[in-house]
Amino acid sequence: MVAYSPFNGNANDESDNGYDRTLNGSAFTSDRFENPNADCSIDGINDYVNFGNIPISANNFKASFWF
């Protein structure tokens, strides 16, 4: 695993590789199970999460998102 960000109140990479995320206009909120600060709210206009320069290729990328 190159990077792991569970969004548990911050956008830090917990894989010890240092690929922390940056929130731009987005904010933490409760997830679908009502766990506080466990999800990220994005307005769909100009909010985003910057994933930075993670060394990945199209053949080894996996992401999980709930909408």
Side-chain angles (χ1 to χ4, degrees), residues 10-54:
N10 61 56
N12 296 340
D13 174 16
E14 294 191 9
S15 73
D16 294 329
N17 291 327
Y19 294 112
D20 294 341
R21 311 308 181 255
T22 303
L23 301 181
N24 294 288
S26 51
F28 285 102
T29 186
S30 297
D31 67 7
R32 61 192 169 120
F33 301 113
E34 299 302 319
N35 296 311
N37 295 316
D39 203 347
C40 191
S41 176
I42 299 173
D43 69 7
I45 299 169
N46 58 359
D47 296 351
Y48 62 95
V49 178
N50 185 340
F51 285 82
N53 296 321
I54 298 173

